[in-house]
Amino acid sequence: MNWSEKLSRFRGFLSQVWQLSLPYFQSEEKWRARAMLAAVVVLNLAAVYMLVLLNDWNRVFYDALQNKDQGIFWSQLGRFTYLAMIFIAIAIYRFYLTQLLQVRWRAWMTRQMMGRWLSGHAFYGMELARFTDSDTAPLTATGLPAPGQRVPDNPDQRLQEDVNLFTAQTVGLSMGFLNAVVTLASFVGILWALSGSFSFSLGGESFTIPGFMVWMALLYCGVGSVLTHYIGRPLIGLNFAQQKKEADFRHHLMRVREYSESIALDKGEALENRNLDTRFSAVFVNYLKLIAKQKQLVGFTNLFGQAAMVFPFIVAAPRFFSGAIQLGELMQISNAFDRVQTALSWFVDNYDSLASWRATTERLTSFEAALSRQNQTQTAVENVAPAEGFSGVETRDLTVQLPTGVTLLQSANLKAAPGQHTLLQGPSGSGKSTLFRSLAGIWPWARGKVTMPKDAMFIPQRPYFPDGSLRAALAYPELESQYTDQALQEALRQALLPGLIDRLDDYDNWTQKLSGGEQQRLAIARVFLKNPAWVMADEATSALDVPTEQALYERLRDMTEQAGGALISIAHRPTVTPFHNHFWKMRPDQAN
């Protein structure tokens, strides 16, 4: 890669940082954010100014020691006391405001990304896209990745870890860079004035180099920066890979916990252990590569730092021993050289952090791009108002495909009027559940027009229950405070869950705590609680015994009839057929 390409990539990286950073400072919190940023900048400038004053104090104090002048010695100790106290106060508030800016920025950025991830079914579309080749989905422009685009993995890591790292590293590194630039500007003049000139002869000619110590600092740090870049360059890719592999390992651990009962019943512990070990081995192997490179970088940077401690004394020693400068000036030169060298060595000292920052920025940028694609996507299924005199479920020219391009339903016109309790029939794999997703407007590979009453609820095959109180799980996705205890208890009673009536305030992981049948009845209890006119049930009673299933279906049918709607079901059991008077039949090649 030539320098032009490297410069272009660096500009692209800075553009990514700018695009991720700017929205916060233009948000509804912009004045607070800008004020904190300005305060942090001022405090950094004040800290550098204090270092300049302390550098001058070094000269006077050490000259007093060399001259054994007690009056100046004690006077300078008093001066040092108030300079140190001011410096400590600046350091405390610089730390506090820097951390406050970081955490407020993180909070805003997390809420913004989290809101976008959870709006418009973006989280669902991104999960579908992870397992889909966009070239095989010809039906819609769904926001799925274009060829060559990478679908972000582990959104939980992006929202929790990467946002935190990005805000912390952006604030820390940018303020560190500002501090280095201001320190360099403040001390390079001091070092130039103190270092004197260096004269030498070459080929019979005499040459003089003014500000010799400044040039030596530039040379020393320039060589160090180049060597650091070549030693540490692999860290960027290794940091990116480490974050991904750690997230993959954590994700599979969570899945084992989520499906612990199924794994235990299947006696899948050994296989899961192998799968987890494979993922952890990837973490371990990459980490070994990472620390091997970090070892090389740490070795070089420590050598560089230790040599910098004695380098100015070696260069300035001849002038001191010749009597050209006193001990105070020698110490001032050493201190000024250290400040200039530290400022110039900012790249060396922060290379590992820069590599991590770049990897984090690239991960967040890809996540942001995927969110933008999903948020800008319009579903190909158009929700339309019902025709005059009709108040049921209707599709017009509805075509449904799989991601592979296989057509499940072609230009279908389906109707279910109030009172028409409809059973969706067909063999497994014919697309019944996919049709339900299309009716709900969440399936990307569908087009056509759908009329769906507002007063409708879907009962999925796998109901979701948030961890927490039973009343919160029952009221989901609405707030539990919207329902009285009597309403919640009656819903449980209607769903044939009398054993849970007195447990509304119990906190638990209900997905793990309840059996499959209890989970299905709790999902149906939600429906009784909210009393919708239309209910779309996808295998909602598959884990129940026949008498319980029949009792619940009878109650669901009666509830929807009284509300002026109907029940639309997917079920394979013939025992639910008597509760329906209308049928949609799907075949593997086409639905009618």
Side-chain angles (χ1 to χ4, degrees):
M1 184 182 298
N2 57 41
W3 282 104
S4 176
E5 292 174 334
K6 291 180 180 179
L7 182 61
S8 177
R9 290 186 63 181
F10 179 69
R11 287 174 177 171
F13 167 66
L14 292 182
S15 176
Q16 290 175 344
V17 173
W18 179 256
Q19 290 171 9
L20 288 172
S21 303
L22 187 61
Y24 176 57
F25 295 94
Q26 294 180 332
S27 69
E28 67 281 0
E29 296 186 20
K30 60 184 178 183
W31 296 117
R32 174 186 286 173
R34 293 173 186 178
M36 286 191 293
L37 179 60
V40 171
V41 170
V42 169
L43 288 170
N44 272 276
L45 296 177
V48 174
Y49 178 68
M50 295 305 300
L51 291 176
V52 172
L53 295 179
L54 287 168
N55 178 264
D56 182 68
W57 175 87
N58 265 285
R59 175 182 59 81
V60 179
F61 181 76
Y62 282 103
D63 278 348
L65 282 176
Q66 185 179 21
N67 298 328
K68 299 181 181 179
D69 190 329
Q70 287 193 39
I72 296 178
F73 173 81
W74 292 111
S75 172
Q76 288 303 308
L77 279 182
R79 184 186 177 209
F80 174 80
T81 300
Y82 74 75
L83 287 177
M85 293 302 293
I86 295 173
F87 186 81
I88 290 170
I90 291 172
I92 290 172
Y93 281 97
R94 179 176 62 174
F95 167 79
Y96 174 71
L97 289 175
T98 299
Q99 294 300 307
L100 192 61
L101 173 61
Q102 174 205 326
V103 74
R104 287 190 177 277
W105 186 6
R106 178 195 176 184
W108 183 89
M109 195 171 181
T110 299
R111 290 188 179 113
Q112 289 293 314
M113 285 193 166
M114 192 162 54
R116 292 171 58 199
W117 182 57
L118 290 172
S119 66
H121 311 298
F123 65 100
Y124 178 68
M126 288 171 67
E127 284 301 306
L128 288 177
R130 286 184 58 207
F131 304 101
T132 304
D133 180 356
S134 59
D135 293 332
T136 64
L139 198 59
T140 62
T142 60
L144 295 177
Q149 287 179 331
R150 184 179 184 184
V151 181
D153 50 41
N154 303 302
D156 53 307
Q157 183 196 28
R158 314 293 173 111
L159 292 167
Q160 185 270 327
E161 183 177 343
D162 288 348
V163 170
N164 182 36
L165 287 173
F166 175 78
T167 54
Q169 291 170 334
T170 302
V171 172
L173 289 171
S174 59
M175 289 302 104
F177 181 72
L178 171 67
N179 196 65
V181 171
V182 175
T183 299
L184 178 63
S186 301
F187 280 92
V188 72
I190 297 173
L191 184 61
W192 184 282
L194 291 172
S195 62
S197 58
F198 176 73
S199 300
F200 62 97
S201 299
L202 183 65
E205 297 285 339
S206 295
F207 298 92
T208 300
I209 303 176
F212 179 65
M213 293 292 291
V214 174
W215 297 113
M216 292 301 296
L218 287 171
L219 177 64
Y220 184 81
C221 296
V223 172
S225 297
V226 171
L227 292 176
T228 298
H229 174 64
Y230 282 103
I231 293 172
R233 183 169 50 181
L235 288 173
I236 297 173
L238 289 171
N239 272 295
F240 189 100
Q242 189 67 26
Q243 291 177 7
K244 180 182 183 304
K245 294 178 189 302
E246 294 277 10
D248 287 342
F249 178 56
R250 182 174 62 245
H251 175 71
H252 199 75
L253 284 170
M254 293 169 60
R255 284 184 59 83
V256 171
R257 187 184 68 175
E258 182 181 359
Y259 292 96
S260 58
E261 182 178 343
S262 298
I263 293 170
L265 289 173
D266 289 335
K267 295 181 174 55
E269 294 90 342
L271 179 59
E272 292 304 324
N273 187 46
R274 285 197 296 273
N275 290 337
L276 285 169
D277 186 66
T278 298
R279 286 167 172 79
F280 182 72
S281 294
V283 171
F284 181 69
V285 169
N286 192 81
Y287 193 70
L288 288 178
K289 295 178 183 177
L290 185 64
I291 61 175
K293 285 298 177 183
Q294 286 176 330
K295 181 186 72 172
Q296 296 176 8
L297 185 62
V298 167
F300 175 75
T301 54
N302 275 273
L303 173 64
F304 184 85
Q306 292 298 314
M309 294 176 64
V310 298
F311 187 78
F313 290 104
I314 295 173
V315 177
R319 295 182 64 209
F320 174 72
F321 290 121
S322 69
I325 58 175
Q326 291 189 315
L327 178 62
E329 285 183 284
L330 178 64
M331 298 306 296
Q332 191 179 17
I333 289 172
S334 172
N335 182 263
F337 182 89
D338 178 65
R339 300 298 178 188
V340 171
Q341 181 270 138
T342 300
L344 291 172
S345 301
W346 180 84
F347 180 76
V348 175
D349 297 335
N350 291 278
Y351 194 90
D352 196 15
S353 297
L354 287 167
S356 175
W357 183 41
R358 181 168 179 177
T360 300
T361 300
E362 289 177 351
R363 288 176 61 81
L364 272 184
T365 299
S366 65
F367 185 59
E368 172 73 21
L371 280 179
S372 296
R373 290 195 300 269
Q374 288 292 334
N375 294 150
Q376 293 170 5
T377 296
Q378 299 294 324
T379 178
V381 173
E382 181 182 357
N383 290 314
V384 296
E388 187 175 351
F390 182 78
S391 59
V393 175
E394 181 180 11
T395 72
R396 304 175 205 169
D397 297 321
L398 180 65
T399 297
V400 180
Q401 289 183 334
L402 293 176
T404 57
V406 174
T407 299
L408 300 174
L409 203 64
Q410 182 70 46
S411 302
N413 297 303
L414 306 171
K415 276 189 178 183
Q420 286 186 326
H421 303 289
T422 304
L423 182 61
L424 183 55
Q425 297 177 319
S428 297
S430 59
K432 300 185 297 298
S433 295
T434 304
L435 173 58
F436 262 35
R437 298 184 188 110
S438 302
L439 294 176
I442 66 171
W443 187 248
W445 299 279
R447 69 171 176 223
K449 297 179 179 179
V450 171
T451 296
M452 177 62 62
K454 293 182 179 179
D455 192 10
M457 278 187 69
F458 286 80
I459 310 177
Q461 288 180 328
R462 295 179 57 206
Y464 167 74
F465 304 105
D467 294 350
S469 67
L470 179 60
R471 66 172 68 241
L474 181 54
Y476 183 86
E478 298 170 355
L479 296 177
E480 57 193 85
S481 58
Q482 296 184 15
Y483 300 98
T484 64
D485 284 4
Q486 291 79 6
L488 294 167
Q489 290 169 353
E490 180 58 27
L492 292 171
R493 191 175 291 110
Q494 287 286 321
L496 304 179
L497 288 170
L500 297 180
I501 289 176
D502 296 328
R503 300 184 61 189
L504 289 176
D505 293 315
D506 287 4
Y507 280 71
D508 216 323
N509 180 345
W510 298 105
T511 303
Q512 296 286 336
K513 191 73 172 181
L514 301 177
S515 67
E518 287 174 323
Q519 291 182 46
Q520 289 190 337
R521 278 179 282 167
L522 186 57
I524 293 172
R526 284 178 182 165
V527 178
F528 288 134
L529 178 66
K530 297 166 187 180
N531 195 33
W534 291 84
V535 174
M536 316 286 174
D538 185 358
E539 295 286 356
T541 57
S542 59
L544 302 180
D545 58 87
V546 172
T548 302
E549 178 182 61
Q550 291 177 332
L552 291 176
Y553 255 99
E554 184 174 359
R555 294 179 183 184
L556 287 171
R557 185 188 61 185
D558 292 345
M559 180 193 70
T560 55
E561 282 184 353
Q562 292 173 11
L567 175 65
I568 300 179
S569 305
I570 296 174
H572 288 99
R573 286 182 180 177
T575 51
V576 303
T577 303
F579 300 97
H580 302 82
N581 53 23
H582 190 63
F583 301 93
W584 293 343
K585 295 185 178 180
M586 297 187 69
R587 300 192 301 271
D589 57 335
Q590 184 180 1
N592 297 321

